[in-house]
Amino acid sequence: MNKKLLGVVGLLLATLMLNPVWAQDIPEPERSATGGAQTLEDILRRQKQLEVDDSFRSQNLGNPENAPPISAPLGTRGGVSDSENWRAIRYNEIDPSTQVRGPAADVLIQDGGMPWYKLREGPVITYGGSALLAIIALLVVFYFVRGRIMIDGGPAGTTIERFKAIERFGHWLLAGSFIALALTGLLTLMGRSFLIPVIGKDAFATIAAGSKWLHNNVAWAFMIGLVLTFVMWVSHNIPNKLDWQWLKAGGGIIGSGHHPSAKKFNAGQKIVFWTVMILGFSVSLSGLSLLFPFQMPMFADTFGVINSILGTSFPTDLAPHEEMQYANIWHSIVAFIMMMAIIAHIYIGSVGMEGAFDAMGNGQVDLEWARQHHDLWVAEVEAKQGKGGSS
């Protein structure tokens, strides 16, 4: 009995080895139910960017010779149906013309929408949202470990002017508009997934429309604030040798707690300044490209410059739809990085450090706070005034 069983098993193994295609052969999708048209399986495979044998479609373009006489019913429609015409367009088998005129009129089919949608709904939301939660959690842990940074020896009781009214206006214009843009941007990007199950489609539609309107219009205030703060503070944010000493000492926040010398802006504030300026400029350009996609396409030229410098092969012949898809993804990524930086900045300027908020609150800071964090700036101010801090 055992010999017979072993013989059967051996025969089966030999059969599989001699005919491996039996285990690998994948039957063609059954299209009889669709009259030979594509099936749901075809559509799903194409959406997943998997290889699809679409010869059954690409070769099914109709035949004008099969057209019935013009005198016959529907004879004027010829021997090619609308669906066959569109298939010919998709597979570049005809050179159609259109009476519609406009920047995107020559693009009748653009199938890059699904990869863009999957990238937007997948990695952008997942990693971007996770990064925001991570920075918030990290700051909470840092607060409980390090505690609030207090003024050594307590406040002096006298104040010195830290920022003038125009400087505070520029800061709050930039900060307030960015917060509004961040909230409306997150609603637009993530609201469909998180809010519709809670408030329903009708309520979300109203919120989404309002968020879009606010986002598009508050953007102008952000760009004005960006230019204003750059003009006012760029001269104070040029890196110098003091910055390296400040970084090595951890800014007095990490390590021994020694407060290194600094002028009006220390190295940490300079990092925030240039992060906001560079990323703010970039997010503004991509935002303008989204607002004016036909007037301000950006990525084709940008890819051309990168290719000429790095020898890469990024696409430089982009349809307006592709320009908007690239701009949307870039806009979202840069915005997430900016939000992370601003959350850390808000922490330090509020609950993280005693006396810091007063600088942008009323413009006056405690003299002892100023001497501990910006001693060289205090010396410059006192030298100009010829006296100590004013109360």
Side-chain angles (χ1 to χ4, degrees), residues 45-84:
R45 286 182 61 84
R46 190 168 65 251
Q47 289 180 350
K48 294 177 181 179
Q49 305 298 295
L50 300 176
E51 185 176 351
V52 178
D53 181 8
D54 55 6
S55 58
F56 71 96
R57 299 176 66 222
S58 60
Q59 298 172 8
N60 185 17
L61 305 179
N63 185 358
E65 296 180 358
N66 294 333
I70 294 179
S71 59
L74 301 180
T76 55
R77 294 183 59 82
V80 181
S81 67
D82 286 350
S83 60
E84 290 165 339

Side-chain angles (χ1 to χ4, degrees), residues 122-157:
V124 172
I125 290 180
T126 301
Y127 295 130
S130 299
L132 294 183
L133 294 176
I135 190 67
I136 293 173
L138 184 63
L139 291 173
V140 170
V141 172
F142 182 78
Y143 178 81
F144 284 106
V145 172
R146 173 64 172 83
R148 196 180 194 198
I149 303 169
M150 307 300 291
I151 300 174
D152 296 340

Side-chain angles (χ1 to χ4, degrees), residues 144-211:
F144 284 106
V145 172
R146 173 64 172 83
R148 196 180 194 198
I149 303 169
M150 307 300 291
I151 300 174
D152 296 340
T158 56
T159 60
I160 184 173
E161 185 179 51
R162 175 78 171 138
F163 294 111
K164 299 183 182 297
I166 184 62
E167 293 178 293
R168 299 199 306 276
F169 171 78
H171 170 271
W172 287 116
L173 178 65
L174 182 63
S177 59
F178 179 79
I179 292 174
L181 290 170
L183 293 176
T184 54
L186 289 174
L187 281 172
T188 304
L189 181 66
M190 300 181 173
R192 184 185 300 273
S193 301
F194 297 99
L195 288 183
I196 288 180
V198 178
I199 64 177
K201 295 181 179 179
D202 293 339
F204 173 73
T206 302
I207 293 175
S211 296

